[in-house]
């Protein structure tokens, strides 16, 4: 089957419970590589019992570096998938068809456990837009334009996609440079998407693949935690790389359809064209 050319890389850290919940399907026509970041629970044993090939690390090296370790073991196509993702193997055929035509990065449209689409496609990560995403008044007026969805039949250009589920041809992802290991956790997916555009490789949210994602973001809590410290550190790194996103109030029309031009990509995206041609 076509899907057997896929490797799915999952980074775990104390993820045993969510692995049991989301990865119980024994029919898995792809290679599943779990890179465990020195979990204190039984994530390794659970992953092995569920059929994964586990790479057990001696320390927590972070999300980006662990993904790159898995990348080195990947086959022709690679999907980076969080442990809280419910992957449907038939979607890999659709992702592959898109990658064979367009290359770049592609992501499925993620859904909540209740079937509500999650905005895993995003516009340009201006600091003001990100504050609006957190409902900070009056910047919350940017909230709708920053969060992007793809309906069935739609293939939507986005600035970046959440790292919970992102796929590529492995050789192309390696040429892209892999995940930026300056990021321990958070913002690595922002940087990846913008770097892909800079190198002329589009980033697309594919509405015909719809997978459930049990999203539980630690920084949504009002109580300050280590997760908030990590996010703040990653934000400083990101805006140090892309200082042009520190200021600005981009209108909705700039959220993704001129992504190539705005980040200096050689990709020729026609002004006003929001959706790429879906693969046939």
């Amino acid at each position: 089957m076509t899907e057997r050319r896929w490797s799915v890389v999952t980074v775990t850290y104390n993820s045993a419970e969510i692995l049991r919940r989301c990865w119980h399907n024994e029919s898995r026509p792809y290679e599943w590589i779990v890179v465990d970041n020195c979990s204190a629970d039984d994530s390794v044993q659970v992953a092995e019992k569920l059929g994964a090939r586990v790479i057990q690390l001696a320390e927590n090296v972070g999300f980006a570096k662990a993904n790159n370790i898995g990348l080195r073991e990947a086959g022709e196509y690679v999907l980076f998938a969080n442990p809280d993702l419910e992957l449907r193997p038939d979607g890999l055929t659709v992702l592959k068809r898109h990658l064979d035509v367009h290359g770049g990065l592609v992501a499925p449209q993620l859904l909540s456990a209740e079937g509500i689409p999650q905005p895993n496609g995003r516009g340009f990560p201006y600091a003001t837009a990100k504050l609006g995403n957190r409902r900070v008044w009056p910047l919350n007026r940017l909230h709708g334009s920053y969060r992007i969805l793809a309906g069935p039949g739609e293939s939507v250009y986005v600035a970046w996609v959440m790292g919970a589920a992102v796929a590529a041809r492995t050789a192309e992802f390696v040429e892209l440079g892999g995940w930026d290991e300056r990021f321990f956790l958070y913002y690595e997916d922002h940087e990846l998407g913008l770097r892909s555009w800079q190198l002329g490789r589009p980033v697309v949210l594919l509405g015909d693949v719809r997978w459930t994602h049990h999203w539980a973001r630690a920084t949504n809590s009002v109580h300050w935690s280590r997760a908030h410290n990590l996010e703040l550190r990653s934000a400083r790194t990101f805006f140090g790389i892309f200082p042009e996103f520190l200021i600005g109030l981009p209108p909705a029309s700039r959220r993704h359809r001129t992504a190539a031009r705005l980040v200096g990509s050689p990709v020729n995206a026609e002004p006003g064209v929001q959706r790429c041609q879906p693969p046939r």
Side-chain angles (χ1 to χ4, degrees):
M1 293 179 64
T2 299
E3 289 83 355
R4 293 192 183 279
R5 298 157 69 181
W6 280 89
S7 294
V8 176
V9 175
T10 300
V11 175
T12 55
Y13 179 69
N14 297 333
S15 308
E17 182 178 350
I18 198 67
L19 287 175
R20 292 188 184 97
R21 180 178 179 185
C22 298
W23 295 84
H24 50 75
N25 185 355
E26 295 182 0
S27 178
R28 194 172 290 125
Y30 54 84
E31 178 188 32
W32 185 28
I33 302 169
V34 168
V35 183
D36 185 73
N37 260 330
C38 197
S39 293
D41 66 1
D42 57 342
S43 294
V44 169
Q45 292 76 19
V46 170
E48 289 177 338
K49 185 175 181 180
L50 290 170
R53 176 160 69 94
V54 179
I55 301 172
Q56 188 173 5
L57 303 182
E59 59 179 329
N60 185 353
V61 299
F63 181 73
K65 187 171 183 177
N67 266 331
N68 284 339
I69 290 170
L71 174 65
R72 292 198 289 267
E73 305 294 322
E76 187 176 356
Y77 299 86
V78 62
L79 168 72
F80 298 97
N82 274 12
D84 56 358
L85 182 72
E86 291 188 33
L87 186 159
R88 298 184 60 178
D90 56 343
L92 295 176
T93 301
V94 183
L95 296 178
K96 175 187 177 299
R97 191 159 60 239
H98 174 91
L99 289 169
D100 287 344
V101 174
H102 300 285
L105 304 177
V106 65
Q109 173 60 63
L110 300 182
L111 309 173
S112 70
E114 295 74 30
I116 300 171
Q118 296 176 347
N120 59 303
R122 295 298 172 96
F124 287 103
Y126 287 90
T128 47
K130 293 186 68 63
L131 288 171
N133 188 47
R134 296 296 180 91
R135 310 298 203 279
V136 176
W137 188 90
L139 299 174
N140 54 4
R141 64 189 179 84
L142 295 177
H143 181 65
S145 66
Y146 178 62
R147 298 157 65 91
I148 301 169
L149 305 172
E154 293 183 338
S155 301
V156 185
Y157 286 127
V158 295
W160 60 280
V161 291
M162 286 168 45
V166 57
R169 292 181 293 197
T170 300
E172 189 172 348
F173 198 89
V174 171
E175 290 175 2
L176 184 64
W179 296 85
D180 190 330
E181 296 181 9
R182 286 175 290 182
F183 298 91
F184 185 87
L185 186 64
Y186 303 120
Y187 281 85
E188 66 285 309
D189 43 12
H190 303 44
E191 189 277 338
L192 177 67
L194 295 180
R195 177 160 37 101
S196 184
W197 278 112
Q198 286 179 326
L199 296 176
R201 296 165 181 175
V203 184
V204 172
L205 186 64
L206 205 61
D208 280 343
V209 183
R210 308 175 79 79
W211 291 339
T212 300
H213 176 221
H214 299 272
W215 192 7
R217 188 176 173 89
T219 54
N220 282 344
S221 170
V222 296
H223 302 291
W224 197 264
S225 66
R226 180 172 181 264
H228 290 89
N229 288 329
L230 289 172
E231 184 173 31
L232 185 60
R233 187 173 74 182
S234 291
R236 287 198 297 265
T237 300
F238 176 80
F239 289 114
I241 299 170
F242 294 102
E244 60 268 36
F245 291 116
L246 270 172
I247 59 173
L249 296 170
S253 62
R254 286 175 57 190
R255 66 186 179 188
H256 60 269
R257 63 190 179 191
T258 56
R261 180 175 61 82
L262 289 179
V263 297
S265 169
V267 168
N268 294 317
E270 293 183 23
V273 177
Q274 296 189 20
R275 293 172 175 84
C276 66
Q277 181 66 33
R280 298 186 183 277

